[in-house]
Amino acid sequence: FDLKRWVLRELKSEKLEAPEEVVNRLIAYGEGSPDRLASMVELLSLYSGEESRVVTSATLDTLFVATPGGHEFELADAIASR
């Protein structure tokens, strides 16, 4: 199972793009769990809206914590602060 390829397909299905380094960070943040990564890609899609469909490191930093069991409410906070 090629997780990186799977994540790239998930991003593409949401009409998102991401450089390889961002995909690698996303996989690390998602702890390699396809279920968690699918949820994270969905959150990235919702956060991106219609503006920019390119996921950046800054976007990951805004939405996700690089520690296991991150804060699930960070997306809501990030959207509310827009």
Coordinates of all heavy atoms in Angstrom, one line a residue:
F1 N 0.9 -1.2 0.0 CA 0.0 0.0 0.0 C 0.9 1.2 0.0 O 1.7 1.5 0.9 CB -0.9 0.0 1.2 CG -1.9 1.1 1.4 CD1 -2.9 1.3 0.4 CD2 -1.7 2.1 2.4 CE1 -3.8 2.4 0.5 CE2 -2.6 3.1 2.5 CZ -3.6 3.3 1.6
D2 N 0.8 2.0 -1.0 CA 1.6 3.3 -1.2 C 0.7 4.4 -0.6 O -0.1 5.0 -1.3 CB 1.9 3.5 -2.6 CG 2.9 4.7 -2.8 OD1 3.0 5.5 -1.9 OD2 3.4 4.8 -3.9
L3 N 1.0 4.8 0.6 CA 0.3 5.8 1.3 C 0.4 7.2 0.7 O -0.6 7.9 0.5 CB 0.7 5.9 2.8 CG -0.2 6.7 3.7 CD1 -1.6 6.2 3.7 CD2 0.3 6.7 5.1
K4 N 1.6 7.5 0.2 CA 1.8 8.8 -0.4 C 0.9 8.9 -1.7 O 0.2 9.9 -1.9 CB 3.2 9.0 -0.8 CG 3.5 10.5 -1.3 CD 4.9 10.7 -1.7 CE 5.8 10.8 -0.5 NZ 7.2 11.1 -0.8
R5 N 0.9 7.9 -2.5 CA 0.1 7.9 -3.7 C -1.4 8.0 -3.4 O -2.2 8.7 -4.0 CB 0.3 6.6 -4.5 CG -0.5 6.6 -5.8 CD -0.1 5.4 -6.7 NE 1.2 5.5 -7.1 CZ 2.0 4.5 -7.6 NH1 1.5 3.3 -7.6 NH2 3.2 4.7 -8.0
W6 N -1.8 7.3 -2.3 CA -3.2 7.3 -1.9 C -3.6 8.8 -1.4 O -4.7 9.3 -1.8 CB -3.4 6.3 -0.7 CG -4.8 6.3 -0.3 CD1 -5.8 5.5 -0.8 CD2 -5.4 7.0 0.8 NE1 -7.0 5.8 -0.1 CE2 -6.7 6.7 0.9 CE3 -4.8 7.9 1.8 CZ2 -7.6 7.2 1.9 CZ3 -5.7 8.5 2.7 CH2 -7.0 8.1 2.8
V7 N -2.7 9.4 -0.7 CA -3.0 10.8 -0.2 C -3.1 11.7 -1.4 O -4.0 12.6 -1.5 CB -1.9 11.3 0.8 CG1 -2.0 12.8 1.0 CG2 -2.0 10.5 2.1
L8 N -2.2 11.6 -2.4 CA -2.3 12.4 -3.6 C -3.6 12.2 -4.3 O -4.2 13.2 -4.8 CB -1.1 12.1 -4.5 CG 0.3 12.6 -4.0 CD1 1.4 12.0 -4.8 CD2 0.3 14.1 -4.0
R9 N -4.1 11.0 -4.4 CA -5.4 10.7 -5.0 C -6.5 11.4 -4.2 O -7.5 11.9 -4.8 CB -5.6 9.2 -5.2 CG -5.0 8.6 -6.4 CD -5.5 7.3 -6.7 NE -5.6 6.3 -5.6 CZ -4.7 5.4 -5.3 NH1 -3.7 5.2 -6.1 NH2 -4.9 4.6 -4.3
E10 N -6.4 11.3 -2.9 CA -7.4 11.9 -2.0 C -7.5 13.4 -2.3 O -8.5 14.1 -2.4 CB -7.2 11.6 -0.6 CG -7.5 10.2 -0.2 CD -9.0 9.9 -0.2 OE1 -9.8 10.6 0.4 OE2 -9.3 8.9 -0.9
L11 N -6.3 14.0 -2.3 CA -6.2 15.5 -2.5 C -6.8 15.8 -3.9 O -7.6 16.8 -4.0 CB -4.7 15.9 -2.5 CG -4.1 15.9 -1.1 CD1 -2.6 16.1 -1.2 CD2 -4.7 17.0 -0.2
K12 N -6.4 15.1 -4.9 CA -6.9 15.3 -6.3 C -8.4 15.2 -6.3 O -9.1 16.0 -7.0 CB -6.3 14.3 -7.3 CG -6.6 14.6 -8.7 CD -5.9 13.7 -9.6 CE -6.2 14.1 -11.1 NZ -5.5 13.3 -12.0
S13 N -9.0 14.2 -5.6 CA -10.4 14.0 -5.6 C -11.2 15.2 -5.0 O -12.3 15.5 -5.3 CB -10.8 12.7 -4.8 OG -10.7 12.9 -3.4
E14 N -10.4 16.0 -4.1 CA -11.0 17.2 -3.6 C -10.5 18.5 -4.3 O -10.7 19.6 -3.9 CB -10.6 17.3 -2.1 CG -11.1 16.3 -1.2 CD -12.6 16.4 -0.9 OE1 -13.2 17.5 -1.1 OE2 -13.2 15.4 -0.5
K15 N -9.9 18.2 -5.5 CA -9.4 19.3 -6.3 C -8.3 20.1 -5.6 O -8.3 21.4 -5.8 CB -10.5 20.1 -6.9 CG -11.5 19.4 -7.8 CD -12.6 20.2 -8.3 CE -13.5 19.5 -9.3 NZ -14.1 18.3 -8.8
L16 N -7.5 19.5 -4.8 CA -6.4 20.1 -4.1 C -5.1 19.7 -4.7 O -5.0 18.6 -5.2 CB -6.5 19.7 -2.6 CG -7.7 20.2 -1.8 CD1 -7.7 19.6 -0.4 CD2 -7.6 21.7 -1.6
E17 N -4.1 20.5 -4.5 CA -2.7 20.2 -4.9 C -1.8 20.4 -3.7 O -2.1 21.3 -2.9 CB -2.3 21.0 -6.1 CG -3.1 20.9 -7.3 CD -2.6 21.8 -8.4 OE1 -1.4 22.2 -8.4 OE2 -3.5 22.3 -9.2
A18 N -0.7 19.7 -3.7 CA 0.2 19.9 -2.6 C 1.6 19.5 -3.0 O 1.7 18.4 -3.7 CB -0.2 19.2 -1.3
P19 N 2.7 20.3 -2.7 CA 4.0 19.8 -3.0 C 4.4 18.6 -2.1 O 3.7 18.3 -1.1 CB 4.9 21.0 -2.6 CG 4.0 22.0 -2.1 CD 2.6 21.6 -2.1
E20 N 5.4 17.8 -2.6 CA 5.7 16.6 -1.9 C 6.1 16.8 -0.4 O 5.7 16.0 0.4 CB 7.0 16.0 -2.6 CG 7.3 14.6 -2.0 CD 8.5 13.9 -2.8 OE1 8.9 14.4 -3.9 OE2 8.9 12.9 -2.3
E21 N 6.7 17.9 -0.1 CA 7.1 18.1 1.3 C 5.8 18.3 2.2 O 5.8 17.8 3.3 CB 8.0 19.3 1.5 CG 7.4 20.6 1.2 CD 8.3 21.8 1.2 OE1 9.4 21.7 0.6 OE2 7.9 22.8 1.9
V22 N 4.8 18.9 1.6 CA 3.6 19.1 2.3 C 2.8 17.7 2.5 O 2.3 17.4 3.5 CB 2.7 20.1 1.6 CG1 1.3 20.2 2.3 CG2 3.4 21.5 1.7
V23 N 2.8 16.9 1.4 CA 2.2 15.6 1.5 C 2.9 14.8 2.6 O 2.2 14.1 3.4 CB 2.3 14.9 0.1 CG1 1.8 13.4 0.3 CG2 1.4 15.6 -0.9
N24 N 4.2 14.8 2.7 CA 5.0 14.1 3.7 C 4.6 14.6 5.1 O 4.4 13.8 6.0 CB 6.5 14.2 3.5 CG 6.9 13.5 2.2 OD1 6.3 12.6 1.8 ND2 8.0 13.9 1.7
R25 N 4.5 15.9 5.3 CA 4.1 16.4 6.6 C 2.6 16.0 6.9 O 2.3 15.6 8.1 CB 4.2 17.9 6.6 CG 5.6 18.4 6.7 CD 5.7 19.9 6.8 NE 5.0 20.4 8.1 CZ 4.7 21.6 8.3 NH1 4.8 22.5 7.3 NH2 4.1 22.0 9.4
L26 N 1.8 16.0 5.9 CA 0.4 15.6 6.2 C 0.3 14.1 6.6 O -0.4 13.8 7.6 CB -0.4 15.8 4.9 CG -1.9 15.5 5.0 CD1 -2.6 16.4 5.9 CD2 -2.6 15.6 3.6
I27 N 1.1 13.3 6.0 CA 1.1 11.9 6.4 C 1.7 11.7 7.8 O 1.1 11.0 8.6 CB 2.0 11.1 5.4 CG1 1.3 11.0 4.0 CG2 2.3 9.7 5.9 CD1 2.1 10.4 2.9
A28 N 2.7 12.5 8.1 CA 3.2 12.5 9.5 C 2.2 13.0 10.5 O 2.0 12.3 11.6 CB 4.5 13.3 9.6
Y29 N 1.5 14.0 10.2 CA 0.5 14.6 11.1 C -0.7 13.6 11.3 O -1.3 13.5 12.3 CB -0.1 15.9 10.6 CG 0.8 17.1 10.7 CD1 2.1 17.0 11.2 CD2 0.3 18.3 10.4 CE1 2.9 18.1 11.3 CE2 1.1 19.5 10.5 CZ 2.4 19.4 11.0 OH 3.2 20.5 11.1
G30 N -1.0 12.8 10.2 CA -2.1 11.9 10.2 C -1.6 10.5 10.8 O -2.4 9.6 10.8
E31 N -0.4 10.4 11.2 CA 0.2 9.2 11.8 C 0.0 8.0 10.9 O -0.1 6.9 11.4 CB -0.5 9.0 13.2 CG -0.2 10.2 14.1 CD -0.9 10.1 15.4 OE1 -1.9 9.3 15.5 OE2 -0.5 10.7 16.4
G32 N 0.0 8.2 9.6 CA -0.1 7.1 8.7 C -1.5 6.4 8.6 O -1.6 5.4 8.0
S33 N -2.5 7.0 9.3 CA -3.8 6.3 9.3 C -4.6 6.8 8.1 O -5.0 8.0 8.1 CB -4.5 6.7 10.6 OG -5.9 6.4 10.5
P34 N -5.0 6.0 7.2 CA -5.9 6.4 6.1 C -7.2 7.1 6.5 O -7.6 8.1 5.9 CB -6.2 5.1 5.3 CG -5.0 4.3 5.6 CD -4.6 4.6 7.1
D35 N -7.8 6.6 7.6 CA -9.0 7.2 8.1 C -8.8 8.6 8.6 O -9.5 9.6 8.2 CB -9.6 6.4 9.2 CG -10.2 5.1 8.8 OD1 -10.6 5.0 7.6 OD2 -10.3 4.2 9.6
R36 N -7.7 8.8 9.3 CA -7.4 10.1 9.8 C -7.0 11.1 8.7 O -7.4 12.2 8.6 CB -6.3 10.1 10.9 CG -6.0 11.4 11.5 CD -5.0 11.2 12.6 NE -4.6 12.5 13.0 CZ -4.7 13.0 14.3 NH1 -5.2 12.3 15.2 NH2 -4.2 14.2 14.6
L37 N -6.2 10.5 7.7 CA -5.8 11.3 6.6 C -7.0 11.8 5.7 O -7.0 12.9 5.2 CB -4.7 10.6 5.8 CG -3.4 10.5 6.4 CD1 -2.5 9.4 5.8 CD2 -2.7 11.8 6.4
A38 N -7.9 10.9 5.5 CA -9.1 11.2 4.7 C -9.9 12.4 5.4 O -10.3 13.3 4.7 CB -10.0 10.0 4.6
S39 N -10.0 12.3 6.7 CA -10.6 13.4 7.4 C -9.8 14.7 7.3 O -10.4 15.8 7.2 CB -10.8 13.1 8.9 OG -11.6 12.0 9.1
M40 N -8.5 14.6 7.4 CA -7.7 15.8 7.3 C -7.8 16.4 5.9 O -7.9 17.6 5.7 CB -6.2 15.4 7.6 CG -6.0 15.0 9.1 SD -4.4 14.4 9.4 CE -3.5 15.9 9.5
V41 N -7.8 15.6 4.9 CA -8.0 16.1 3.5 C -9.3 16.8 3.3 O -9.4 17.9 2.7 CB -7.8 15.0 2.4 CG1 -8.2 15.4 1.1 CG2 -6.4 14.5 2.4
E42 N -10.4 16.2 3.9 CA -11.7 16.9 3.9 C -11.6 18.2 4.6 O -12.2 19.2 4.1 CB -12.7 16.0 4.5 CG -14.1 16.5 4.4 CD -15.2 15.6 5.0 OE1 -14.8 14.4 5.4 OE2 -16.3 16.0 5.1
L43 N -11.0 18.3 5.7 CA -10.8 19.6 6.4 C -10.1 20.6 5.6 O -10.4 21.8 5.5 CB -10.2 19.4 7.8 CG -10.9 18.6 8.8 CD1 -10.1 18.4 10.1 CD2 -12.2 19.3 9.2
L44 N -9.0 20.1 4.9 CA -8.2 21.0 4.1 C -9.1 21.5 2.9 O -9.0 22.7 2.6 CB -7.0 20.3 3.5 CG -5.9 20.0 4.5 CD1 -4.9 19.0 3.9 CD2 -5.2 21.3 4.8
S45 N -9.9 20.7 2.4 CA -10.8 21.1 1.3 C -11.8 22.2 1.8 O -12.0 23.2 1.1 CB -11.5 19.9 0.7 OG -12.4 20.3 -0.3
L46 N -12.4 21.9 2.9 CA -13.3 22.9 3.5 C -12.7 24.2 3.8 O -13.2 25.3 3.6 CB -14.0 22.3 4.8 CG -14.9 21.2 4.6 CD1 -15.3 20.6 5.9 CD2 -16.2 21.6 3.8
Y47 N -11.5 24.2 4.4 CA -10.7 25.4 4.7 C -10.3 26.2 3.5 O -10.4 27.4 3.5 CB -9.5 25.0 5.6 CG -8.7 26.2 6.0 CD1 -9.2 27.0 7.1 CD2 -7.5 26.6 5.4 CE1 -8.4 28.1 7.5 CE2 -6.8 27.7 5.8 CZ -7.3 28.5 6.8 OH -6.6 29.6 7.2
S48 N -9.9 25.5 2.5 CA -9.4 26.1 1.2 C -10.6 26.9 0.5 O -10.3 27.9 -0.1 CB -8.8 25.1 0.3 OG -7.7 24.5 0.9
G49 N -11.8 26.4 0.6 CA -12.9 27.1 -0.1 C -12.6 27.2 -1.5 O -12.0 26.3 -2.2
E50 N -13.0 28.3 -2.1 CA -12.8 28.4 -3.6 C -11.5 29.3 -3.9 O -11.2 29.4 -5.0 CB -14.0 29.2 -4.2 CG -15.3 28.4 -4.0 CD -15.3 27.0 -4.8 OE1 -14.7 27.0 -5.9 OE2 -15.8 26.0 -4.2
E51 N -10.9 29.8 -2.9 CA -9.8 30.7 -3.1 C -8.6 30.0 -3.6 O -8.3 30.0 -4.8 CB -9.4 31.4 -1.7 CG -10.5 32.3 -1.2 CD -10.2 32.8 0.2 OE1 -9.0 32.7 0.6 OE2 -11.1 33.2 0.8
S52 N -7.8 29.3 -2.8 CA -6.6 28.6 -3.2 C -6.8 27.1 -3.0 O -7.1 26.7 -1.9 CB -5.4 29.1 -2.5 OG -4.3 28.4 -2.8
R53 N -6.5 26.4 -4.0 CA -6.6 24.9 -3.9 C -5.3 24.3 -3.8 O -5.1 23.1 -3.9 CB -7.4 24.3 -5.1 CG -8.7 24.9 -5.4 CD -9.7 24.8 -4.2 NE -10.1 23.5 -4.0 CZ -10.9 23.1 -3.0 NH1 -11.2 23.9 -2.1 NH2 -11.2 21.8 -2.9
V54 N -4.2 25.1 -3.4 CA -2.9 24.5 -3.2 C -2.6 24.5 -1.7 O -2.7 25.6 -1.0 CB -1.8 25.4 -3.9 CG1 -0.4 24.8 -3.6 CG2 -2.1 25.4 -5.4
V55 N -2.4 23.3 -1.1 CA -2.1 23.2 0.3 C -0.7 23.5 0.5 O 0.2 23.0 -0.1 CB -2.4 21.8 0.8 CG1 -2.2 21.6 2.2 CG2 -3.9 21.4 0.4
T56 N -0.4 24.4 1.5 CA 0.9 24.8 1.9 C 1.3 24.4 3.3 O 0.4 24.0 4.0 CB 1.0 26.4 1.8 OG1 0.2 26.9 2.8 CG2 0.7 26.9 0.4
S57 N 2.5 24.5 3.6 CA 3.0 24.2 5.0 C 2.3 25.1 6.0 O 1.9 24.7 7.1 CB 4.5 24.4 5.1 OG 5.1 23.3 4.4
A58 N 2.1 26.4 5.6 CA 1.4 27.3 6.4 C -0.1 26.9 6.7 O -0.6 27.0 7.9 CB 1.4 28.7 5.8
T59 N -0.7 26.3 5.7 CA -2.1 25.8 5.9 C -2.1 24.6 6.9 O -2.9 24.6 7.8 CB -2.7 25.3 4.6 OG1 -2.6 26.3 3.6 CG2 -4.1 24.9 4.8
L60 N -1.1 23.7 6.8 CA -1.0 22.6 7.7 C -0.8 23.1 9.1 O -1.4 22.7 10.1 CB 0.1 21.7 7.3 CG -0.1 20.9 6.1 CD1 1.1 19.9 5.9 CD2 -1.4 20.1 6.0
D61 N 0.1 24.1 9.3 CA 0.4 24.7 10.6 C -0.8 25.4 11.2 O -1.0 25.3 12.4 CB 1.6 25.7 10.5 CG 2.9 25.1 10.1 OD1 3.1 23.9 10.3 OD2 3.8 25.8 9.6
T62 N -1.6 26.0 10.4 CA -2.8 26.6 10.9 C -3.9 25.6 11.4 O -4.5 25.8 12.4 CB -3.5 27.5 9.7 OG1 -2.5 28.5 9.3 CG2 -4.8 28.1 10.2
L63 N -4.0 24.5 10.7 CA -5.1 23.6 11.0 C -4.7 22.4 11.9 O -5.6 21.9 12.5 CB -5.6 23.0 9.6 CG -6.3 24.0 8.7 CD1 -6.7 23.3 7.4 CD2 -7.4 24.7 9.4
F64 N -3.5 22.0 11.8 CA -3.1 20.8 12.5 C -1.9 21.0 13.5 O -1.0 21.8 13.2 CB -2.8 19.6 11.5 CG -3.9 19.4 10.5 CD1 -3.6 19.7 9.2 CD2 -5.1 19.0 10.9 CE1 -4.6 19.6 8.2 CE2 -6.1 18.8 9.9 CZ -5.9 19.1 8.6
V65 N -1.9 20.2 14.5 CA -0.8 20.2 15.5 C 0.1 18.9 15.2 O -0.5 17.9 14.9 CB -1.3 20.1 16.9 CG1 -0.2 20.0 17.9 CG2 -2.2 21.3 17.2
A66 N 1.4 19.1 15.2 CA 2.3 18.0 14.8 C 2.5 17.0 15.9 O 3.5 16.3 16.0 CB 3.6 18.6 14.4
T67 N 1.6 16.9 16.8 CA 1.7 15.9 17.9 C 0.5 15.0 17.8 O -0.6 15.3 17.4 CB 1.7 16.6 19.3 OG1 0.5 17.4 19.4 CG2 2.9 17.5 19.5
P68 N 0.7 13.7 18.3 CA -0.4 12.8 18.2 C -1.6 13.3 19.0 O -1.4 14.0 20.1 CB 0.1 11.5 18.9 CG 1.6 11.6 18.7 CD 1.9 13.1 18.7
G69 N -2.8 13.1 18.5 CA -4.0 13.5 19.2 C -4.2 15.0 19.2 O -4.5 15.6 20.2
G70 N -3.9 15.6 18.1 CA -4.0 17.1 17.9 C -5.4 17.6 18.3 O -6.3 16.9 18.7
H71 N -5.5 18.9 18.2 CA -6.8 19.5 18.7 C -7.8 19.6 17.5 O -7.6 20.2 16.5 CB -6.4 21.0 19.1 CG -5.4 21.0 20.2 ND1 -5.8 20.8 21.5 CD2 -4.1 21.2 20.2 CE1 -4.7 20.9 22.2 NE2 -3.7 21.1 21.4
E72 N -8.9 18.9 17.7 CA -9.9 18.7 16.7 C -10.6 20.1 16.4 O -11.2 20.2 15.3 CB -10.9 17.7 17.1 CG -10.4 16.3 17.0 CD -9.5 15.8 18.2 OE1 -9.6 16.5 19.2 OE2 -8.8 14.9 18.0
F73 N -10.5 21.0 17.3 CA -11.3 22.2 17.1 C -10.5 23.3 16.4 O -11.0 24.4 16.3 CB -11.8 22.7 18.5 CG -12.8 21.7 19.1 CD1 -12.4 20.9 20.1 CD2 -14.0 21.6 18.6 CE1 -13.2 20.0 20.7 CE2 -14.9 20.6 19.1 CZ -14.5 19.9 20.2
E74 N -9.3 23.0 16.1 CA -8.4 24.1 15.4 C -9.0 24.5 14.1 O -8.9 25.7 13.7 CB -7.0 23.6 15.3 CG -6.3 23.5 16.6 CD -4.8 23.3 16.4 OE1 -4.2 24.0 15.6 OE2 -4.3 22.5 17.2
L75 N -9.7 23.6 13.3 CA -10.3 24.0 12.1 C -11.3 25.1 12.3 O -11.4 26.1 11.7 CB -10.8 22.8 11.3 CG -11.6 23.2 10.1 CD1 -10.7 23.8 9.0 CD2 -12.3 22.0 9.5
A76 N -12.2 24.8 13.3 CA -13.3 25.8 13.6 C -12.7 27.1 14.0 O -13.2 28.2 13.6 CB -14.2 25.2 14.6
D77 N -11.7 27.1 14.8 CA -11.0 28.3 15.2 C -10.4 29.1 14.1 O -10.5 30.3 14.0 CB -10.0 28.1 16.3 CG -10.5 27.5 17.6 OD1 -11.8 27.7 17.8 OD2 -9.8 27.0 18.4
A78 N -9.8 28.3 13.2 CA -9.1 28.9 12.0 C -10.1 29.6 11.1 O -10.0 30.7 10.6 CB -8.3 27.9 11.3
I79 N -11.3 28.9 10.9 CA -12.3 29.4 10.0 C -13.0 30.6 10.6 O -13.2 31.6 10.0 CB -13.4 28.3 9.7 CG1 -12.8 27.3 8.8 CG2 -14.6 28.9 9.0 CD1 -13.6 26.1 8.5
A80 N -13.2 30.6 11.9 CA -13.8 31.7 12.6 C -12.9 33.0 12.6 O -13.4 34.1 12.6 CB -14.1 31.3 14.1
S81 N -11.6 32.8 12.6 CA -10.7 33.9 12.6 C -10.5 34.5 11.2 O -9.8 35.5 11.1 CB -9.3 33.5 13.2 OG -8.7 32.7 12.3
R82 N -11.1 33.9 10.2 CA -10.9 34.5 8.8 C -11.7 35.7 8.6 O -12.7 36.0 9.0 CB -11.3 33.4 7.7 CG -10.3 32.3 7.7 CD -10.7 31.3 6.7 NE -9.7 31.5 5.6 CZ -9.8 31.1 4.4 NH1 -10.9 30.6 4.0 NH2 -8.9 31.3 3.5

